[in-house]
Amino acid sequence: MSQSLNNVIQQAEQIILGKPQQIRLALTCLLARGHLLIEDLPGVGKTTLAQVLSRTLGLQFQRIQFTSDLLPADILGVSVYQRDSGEFKFHPGPIFAQMILADEVNRATPKAQSALLEAMEEHQVTIEGVTRALPPPFFVIATQNPAHQIGTFPLPESQLDRFLMRIQMGYPDAQAERGLLSGVDRREIIAKLSPQMERVELLALQKRVRAVFVSPALLDYVQAILRRTREAARYTHGLSPRAGLALLSAARAWAFLDERDAVIPEDVQAVLPGVVSHRLQAVGEYSKQNSDVLVRELIEAVAIP
Amino acid sequence: MNKSLTYGLLLSILMVIAPHADHLPLWVSSLCVGLLLWRAYLTYTGSPLPKRWLLMLITVASIGSIVISFRTLFGREVGVTLLMLLATLKLMELRAARDAMVLIYLACFIIITNFFYSQSIPTALYLLATLMVIVTAWVHLQAQRITLMPRLRIAAVLLLQALPLTLILFILFPRVQGPLWGLPQDAYASSGLDDKMSPGSLSRLSLSEAVAFRVSYPDKIPRRDQMYWRGPVLWDFDGRTWTQGRTVLTITPKFTELDQPIDYVVTLEPHNKTWLFALDMPGKISLPATLSYDFQVLNKEPVNARLRYAARSNLVYHANLQEATRQIQRALQLPKQFNPRAQQLAAEWRAGSKDDADIVRTALSYFNKQAFVYTLEPPLLGINGIDDFLFTTKQGFCEHYASAFVFLMRAANVPARVVTGYLGGEFNDIGNYYIVRQSDAHAWAEVWLADHGWVRVDPTAAIAPERVQRGLSAAVSDNAALPFMARNPPQWLRNLRLNFDTLANQWNQWVLGYDTERQFAFLTRLGMESITWQKIAMDMVAGVGLVIALFALFMLRHLFVRQPDKVQAAWLKLCQKLAKAGLPRAAHEGAQDYAARIAAARPVLADAIRDLAARYSAFRYGTLNDEHAQREFLQRATALKI
């Protein structure tokens, strides 16, 4: 792993106290070229995480605050008639950035949501018949409030599938919170952060992640997990092949962060909650369980071959 | 070029050219050794290799020396010398991997040249070891990271894999008759009986331990004193030397059989002469050989390759009861100007005897009664050699007695001739055959009696009957002159020698002696019908192809069948061991997580188990596939004490 990646992690850990796991998962997601969904209450540091990452990684950053009256054009951009030239000139929307923070994505209407989600899937947008590529590494961190809050349009399962991972921030522990409360204002520190790597370097790292070795034995294990979700009665439906691919690429990135050139089952287990918790739904009596418990059960149910 | 690889190549070349030192001029060996030492020194000090012009100079000088030394640039010796010199000179410009490759091929080729000179078991074993060294160097060249032991193992595996191919090629490859490459001048240099005999020639031969031939008797074994192996028959005497004289075909050799014939099989070592050895008197022989008028079995051409033949002889016989007058006359001739006293003695016997048989008896009893000594080192004899021997020195070896006896017979007007050959031999009770060596060379006499034909008379038997009954070492008084093994060696040494000779005999019979005839016989026994060359060649190609295909299948087996994983088996076993110690692994628990848990529970094991888990993960889920590392893992996993 590169030194600069280490620096990124270190800096993030200094600002977001007591959440090393979340920071690593967020980086994993970025390295695996997926998008990240952070689901939690307001004020637990979702935005801070996104800001820290964009600054330290040296990425061009745009924030889109999703509201119920947000229109697709507010995200993608519009063409405006130029009086002097007599032509329409395209004004790119906030989505044309290397890193997007889509804040409170479930507060927008499905129409606006789909404009973002299609761009996430295709890494390009088509406006008025012209297809425009989005600048790599087009990385979206979306935050959403828990679905039971008022005034939300929960993302449908098909849309959730676009996110490689969903993580939860959770409350900080007592010690971390103490540090947070007694320390300097986070916003000031973030403003002072210097980029730790070039965009080119990040793209190169993403490429190296894809080269992490996956052995037949590990594929056996991943397949066993997928099979379990399809066969066990407690899930409404099993994981899709796309979920399997997502699991693999996330595990690759996790192994890479762990400085290994091959994926081991522990990597899969580490990223499994993030990758599958928003893709799995339990039926009947199990549906009341926390999604973490559900994933924990899944891990324990599948033996490592 | 890697230093240790250079040393490996140096050793390969040294080993492969070393046996040639035995038969090439001293300057060639010295030059080669000098160049090798120089190269080793350059490698040791890390100095640059000699300049190209210097190498050219040495090369040209070497070729010049070869021309001066051998007076030709063609032929076996010159070819071998050139190969040796060029191989050692090639070492001097060993720079790239390509040069090393050339050297390895060259070394393999020079291996073959060693078989021009010797094909014995020790040679074969030595060259096998050499091949091993060469292959190890080759493996080193291909994979520089591998250490010596794994390198040796790979080389050994490679050679073992070549074994089935070798076997198929050996059994099925078309055979060429005669010695290697069929060049007559390439036949073995050898010692053996000559076609003439003078005092000292047989006693000199008796010092040689070389095997003359080996005999096995499928049915009945004759008595030891009947084992007279008939070789050249000598007629003409010039006062000192007996020779065969001019071959005159006058009468068909014919003998009446007076007993049951004896069958035997002889494997004759090459001796570059035409005669084949057979027991007195030879009847049938399995080769297209002729029986001369004096009962010598003669091959069509000189025996320059090991020859195997079956023959049948009668030990009791009447040979040529009807003999041509010319032959009788020839058997009476002697140079009258020499040895007057012997002639006088013979005349006295003639006068006092009633017939020829009586004279023979008188002569034998004379030898028996007088103080004759049987010795390997008789004193020198003067111009009247027989007189000196009979009346002065009275010490001699079998050729002296045979010579004197025949002289006396002829002087007494009894037709007689000298027969040379071998007597007895050593019985190899391990291989159940007789070994007849050059030290068993013998000479005896034959006299022609009117009602018995040619009768064998062995004057040596009258002086030293032990020679006939028990062999040379029992008969001669001065043992020191005999080769060590012809004396009475300790039993274990004798057994060792017999064991080795049995092995050598099998090697001769089945490996070197595997000729067209044996090949066809063997294949017929395997159930092959109507054998032709085309068929054998096709089978050979098919067999070689099959073996290669099988190896390929074996090596690519992971494409078809997933192999049971040794590493995983060892890991699971380790997990069981830990489970027994109260630390079972949960089914879903990954190796590293498990190791971390164990390390926490049993800090003593922490390092070992973390190491093993990391290795296991690297094998199972990573790209690690090194056999050496795998063995190390297996060893550590089994060795871990809990």
Side-chain angles (χ1 to χ4, degrees):
Chain A
M1 193 171 60
S2 71
Q3 179 60 41
S4 35
L5 208 50
N6 261 328
N7 293 345
V8 169
I9 292 174
Q10 263 180 15
Q11 282 199 347
E13 282 180 0
Q14 274 165 20
I15 295 164
I16 305 154
L17 299 174
K19 297 288 166 199
Q21 183 78 358
Q22 277 77 358
I23 294 168
R24 281 180 93 82
L25 282 171
L27 265 177
T28 300
C29 197
L30 173 58
L31 287 174
R33 310 213 307 164
H35 303 292
L36 179 66
L37 180 63
I38 308 177
E39 184 184 75
D40 221 322
L41 296 166
V44 287
K46 300 186 294 256
T47 314
T48 316
L49 177 63
Q51 281 178 335
V52 168
L53 283 183
S54 69
R55 284 205 77 99
T56 51
L57 292 170
L59 295 179
Q60 182 201 351
F61 177 70
Q62 283 282 1
R63 178 187 171 135
I64 310 171
Q65 179 62 52
F66 278 52
T67 55
S68 53
D69 55 357
L70 190 78
L71 295 172
D74 295 335
I75 301 171
L76 305 177
V78 283
S79 293
V80 178
Y81 181 72
Q82 302 290 98
R83 186 181 299 224
D84 38 340
S85 62
E87 285 173 352
F88 281 94
K89 185 166 187 285
F90 180 69
H91 288 260
I95 200 153
F96 286 91
Q98 290 154 6
M99 187 161 165
I100 311 278
L101 173 64
D103 221 357
E104 300 185 307
V105 73
N106 57 347
R107 281 182 63 193
T109 55
K111 192 174 177 182
Q113 283 175 0
S114 65
L116 171 74
L117 294 166
E118 279 172 34
M120 282 165 55
E121 183 67 18
E122 311 287 332
H123 282 235
Q124 63 183 28
V125 289
T126 305
I127 303 153
E128 292 154 15
V130 182
T131 301
R132 295 167 209 272
L134 295 168
F138 179 67
F139 178 49
V140 174
I141 300 179
T143 70
Q144 77 173 358
N145 298 324
H148 50 80
Q149 287 205 333
I150 299 167
T152 56
F153 298 88
L155 294 174
E157 280 147 29
S158 64
Q159 307 281 41
L160 281 174
D161 205 32
R162 306 270 156 95
F163 289 98
L164 180 68
M165 282 194 199
R166 184 185 72 176
I167 62 173
Q168 285 165 346
M169 293 301 282
Y171 295 118
D173 59 29
Q175 196 197 346
E177 190 152 33
R178 184 91 183 178
L180 199 68
L181 294 173
S182 63
V184 196
D185 187 353
R186 299 291 118 180
R187 272 169 297 185
E188 280 177 28
I189 311 177
I190 293 172
K192 283 180 206 154
L193 281 180
S194 59
Q196 293 299 320
M197 64 167 75
E198 299 274 315
R199 190 171 68 107
V200 191
E201 195 180 344
L202 179 64
L203 294 180
L205 287 178
Q206 285 183 337
K207 206 168 175 183
R208 277 171 62 192
V209 164
R210 268 175 290 169
V212 170
F213 179 72
V214 169
S215 66
L218 189 99
L219 289 180
D220 286 349
Y221 180 56
V222 169
Q223 279 193 303
I225 291 175
L226 297 180
R227 206 177 316 119
R228 167 77 192 174
T229 65
R230 290 164 197 171
E231 284 167 1
R234 63 179 63 186
Y235 310 108
T236 51
H237 45 73
L239 289 172
S240 66
R242 180 158 65 185
L245 287 171
L247 186 58
L248 265 186
S249 49
R252 276 194 168 104
W254 186 264
F256 183 76
L257 276 177
D258 232 12
E259 300 181 39
R260 261 180 287 102
D261 57 1
V263 182
I264 61 173
E266 283 90 330
D267 299 326
V268 176
Q269 293 178 355
V271 297
L272 196 65
V275 175
V276 304
S277 68
H278 60 293
R279 291 181 164 102
L280 272 185
Q281 274 195 334
V283 291
E285 50 179 317
Y286 304 108
S287 61
K288 292 189 193 82
Q289 284 176 340
N290 187 325
S291 62
D292 282 349
V293 178
L294 204 64
V295 175
R296 190 77 233 154
E297 278 174 1
L298 174 59
I299 289 176
E300 281 169 13
V302 180
I304 294 176
Chain B
M1 187 66 44
N2 180 325
K3 268 194 185 185
S4 63
L5 175 57
T6 309
Y7 289 133
L9 289 170
L10 273 167
L11 181 65
S12 304
I13 296 295
L14 177 68
M15 281 185 78
V16 85
I17 65 173
H20 284 310
D22 189 37
H23 37 73
L24 289 183
L26 188 62
W27 71 266
V28 177
S29 315
S30 322
L31 182 58
C32 286
V33 170
L35 285 170
L36 287 175
L37 284 177
W38 186 21
R39 186 65 178 87
Y41 175 76
L42 290 181
T43 312
Y44 181 72
T45 55
S47 321
L49 293 181
K51 294 267 183 300
R52 189 163 282 267
W53 62 264
L54 183 60
L55 287 182
M56 286 303 285
L57 201 69
I58 299 177
T59 310
V60 170
S62 307
I63 292 173
S65 311
I66 288 172
V67 172
I68 293 167
S69 174
F70 293 94
R71 310 205 166 280
T72 171
L73 264 179
F74 301 97
R76 183 182 62 172
E77 308 274 306
V78 180
V80 170
T81 312
L82 271 172
L83 269 175
M84 280 170 64
L85 284 172
L86 292 181
T88 28
L89 283 167
K90 182 74 195 167
L91 270 171
M92 289 295 164
E93 54 165 22
L94 181 61
R95 288 187 175 92
R98 204 188 66 91
D99 298 322
M101 212 59 225
V102 168
L103 264 170
I104 283 164
Y105 290 143
L106 207 53
C108 287
F109 190 74
I110 299 179
I111 281 190
I112 302 169
T113 63
N114 281 301
F115 287 117
F116 288 152
Y117 299 95
S118 165
Q119 299 152 24
S120 65
I121 296 178
T123 309
L125 287 179
Y126 173 81
L127 291 174
L128 193 64
T130 310
L131 186 61
M132 179 78 189
V133 171
I134 296 171
V135 173
T136 309
W138 180 43
V139 173
H140 193 179
L141 175 69
Q142 300 295 337
Q144 309 241 350
R145 292 174 298 109
I146 307 179
T147 51
L148 181 63
M149 282 320 286
R151 218 150 59 211
L152 281 169
R153 209 165 43 81
I154 292 174
V157 168
L158 279 173
L159 288 187
L160 279 180
Q161 284 173 337
L163 206 61
L165 285 181
T166 315
L167 216 59
I168 289 176
L169 290 175
F170 174 77
I171 291 173
L172 294 177
F173 202 85
R175 299 290 144 162
V176 191
Q177 295 282 13
L180 213 54
W181 313 132
L183 300 172
Q185 68 266 34
D186 280 352
Y188 310 79
S190 58
S191 64
L193 280 180
D194 212 344
D195 56 357
K196 49 183 177 288
M197 179 186 90
S198 50
S201 58
L202 282 188
S203 44
R204 260 198 308 282
L205 197 56
S206 291
L207 298 177
S208 165
E209 275 291 272
V211 174
F213 52 91
R214 296 181 175 86
V215 198
S216 60
Y217 298 93
D219 310 320
K220 204 170 72 182
I221 298 179
R223 288 202 320 273
R224 199 181 168 83
D225 59 0
Q226 290 175 318
M227 293 185 187
Y228 279 87
W229 293 94
R230 193 178 184 85
V233 179
L234 311 177
W235 292 82
D236 292 0
F237 188 51
D238 63 359
R240 178 172 175 80
T241 305
W242 288 88
T243 51
Q244 284 195 296
R246 268 183 314 126
T247 307
V248 203
L249 252 179
T250 52
I251 195 163
T252 339
K254 200 172 164 197
F255 64 87
T256 32
E257 305 177 8
L258 298 177
D259 63 347
Q260 284 296 315
I262 281 198
D263 288 306
Y264 50 92
V265 180
V266 174
T267 310
L268 180 62
E269 296 295 311
H271 56 71
N272 285 346
K273 304 282 170 34
T274 51
W275 50 77
L276 307 175
F277 296 96
L279 285 173
D280 272 348
M281 283 293 180
K284 271 194 208 146
I285 186 153
S286 66
L287 293 173
T290 51
L291 190 63
S292 76
Y293 62 94
D294 47 10
F295 299 99
Q296 293 181 57
V297 186
L298 297 173
N299 198 22
K300 290 253 182 279
E301 54 215 20
V303 182
N304 51 20
R306 193 172 285 108
L307 191 63
R308 196 178 124 95
Y309 54 88
R312 167 177 286 186
S313 292
N314 281 84
L315 304 180
V316 186
Y317 51 85
H318 281 163
N320 276 11
L321 278 171
Q322 315 286 299
E323 187 57 284
T325 330
R326 279 171 67 186
Q327 297 296 354
I328 302 284
Q329 288 305 321
R330 225 180 135 200
L332 287 172
Q333 274 175 3
L334 69 164
K336 299 273 191 209
Q337 67 272 36
F338 300 121
N339 306 313
R341 291 180 65 191
Q343 291 187 43
Q344 199 194 336
L345 180 67
E348 284 166 18
W349 288 348
R350 173 89 262 172
S353 305
K354 55 184 188 300
D355 59 4
D356 290 358
D358 205 21
I359 293 175
V360 172
R361 276 193 294 277
T362 315
L364 287 179
S365 72
Y366 176 81
F367 278 122
N368 187 244
K369 297 240 170 67
Q370 297 282 324
F372 281 103
V373 177
Y374 187 63
T375 173
L376 267 171
E377 291 170 319
L380 292 174
L381 302 172
I383 185 146
N384 290 315
I386 297 204
D387 275 1
D388 289 355
F389 166 62
L390 280 176
F391 305 107
T392 317
T393 66
K394 301 202 174 184
Q395 294 180 31
F397 199 57
C398 52
E399 71 262 35
H400 297 85
Y401 293 101
S403 170
F405 181 81
V406 173
F407 185 89
L408 285 167
M409 287 304 108
R410 287 187 177 182
N413 211 26
V414 180
R417 62 191 181 193
V418 172
V419 184
T420 58
Y422 297 90
L423 171 60
E426 181 181 11
F427 183 61
N428 186 337
D429 45 1
I430 294 146
N432 203 22
Y433 59 89
Y434 277 85
I435 309 163
V436 180
R437 297 173 196 282
Q438 299 300 349
S439 55
D440 294 314
H442 192 52
W444 59 93
E446 267 182 344
V447 293
W448 188 78
L449 304 175
D451 45 355
H452 289 95
W454 288 101
V455 177
R456 180 177 65 228
V457 182
D458 188 354
T460 307
I463 298 118
E466 311 80 30
R467 167 71 185 91
V468 180
Q469 298 293 341
R470 280 161 50 208
L472 186 57
S473 64
V476 289
S477 46
D478 42 359
N479 257 345
L482 275 175
F484 177 66
M485 289 308 293
R487 283 180 255 151
N488 277 316
Q491 189 60 32
W492 65 268
L493 199 58
R494 197 176 155 271
N495 278 346
L496 194 70
R497 184 166 78 142
L498 290 183
N499 266 313
F500 184 74
D501 196 86
T502 309
L503 197 66
N505 189 36
Q506 296 293 331
W507 173 261
N508 290 342
Q509 304 278 340
W510 291 106
V511 180
L512 302 180
Y514 186 78
D515 53 7
T516 317
E517 200 183 316
R518 289 220 153 182
Q519 185 178 38
F520 276 48
F522 182 70
L523 293 178
T524 312
R525 202 141 37 110
L526 282 185
M528 212 164 146
E529 280 164 21
S530 57
I531 302 165
T532 60
W533 283 125
Q534 292 86 334
K535 247 176 122 175
I536 293 185
M538 262 155 58
D539 283 351
M540 186 177 77
V541 172
V544 168
L546 189 69
V547 168
I548 292 176
L550 283 177
F551 270 122
L553 267 179
F554 179 73
M555 283 170 173
L556 299 175
R557 67 193 181 282
H558 60 272
L559 295 182
F560 319 107
V561 200
R562 211 149 143 189
Q563 287 299 301
D565 193 338
K566 278 190 214 158
V567 170
Q568 198 188 4
W571 170 253
L572 292 178
K573 221 169 166 181
L574 181 67
C575 290
Q576 278 174 9
K577 253 194 323 193
L578 286 162
K580 272 186 202 153
L583 294 162
R585 182 179 75 95
H588 68 275
E589 201 168 21
Q592 315 232 356
D593 286 350
Y594 183 45
R597 194 157 63 82
I598 301 229
R602 291 276 190 91
V604 194
L605 293 177
D607 289 343
I609 193 76
R610 277 209 189 97
D611 173 61
L612 282 172
R615 281 164 189 265
Y616 169 71
S617 294
F619 275 120
R620 184 139 174 84
Y621 300 108
T623 45
L624 184 58
N625 199 14
D626 179 5
E627 278 188 42
H628 177 62
Q630 182 179 327
R631 260 205 322 284
E632 202 175 304
F633 172 79
L634 296 180
Q635 278 166 9
R636 288 191 190 191
T638 19
L640 188 70
K641 294 269 176 294
I642 295 154

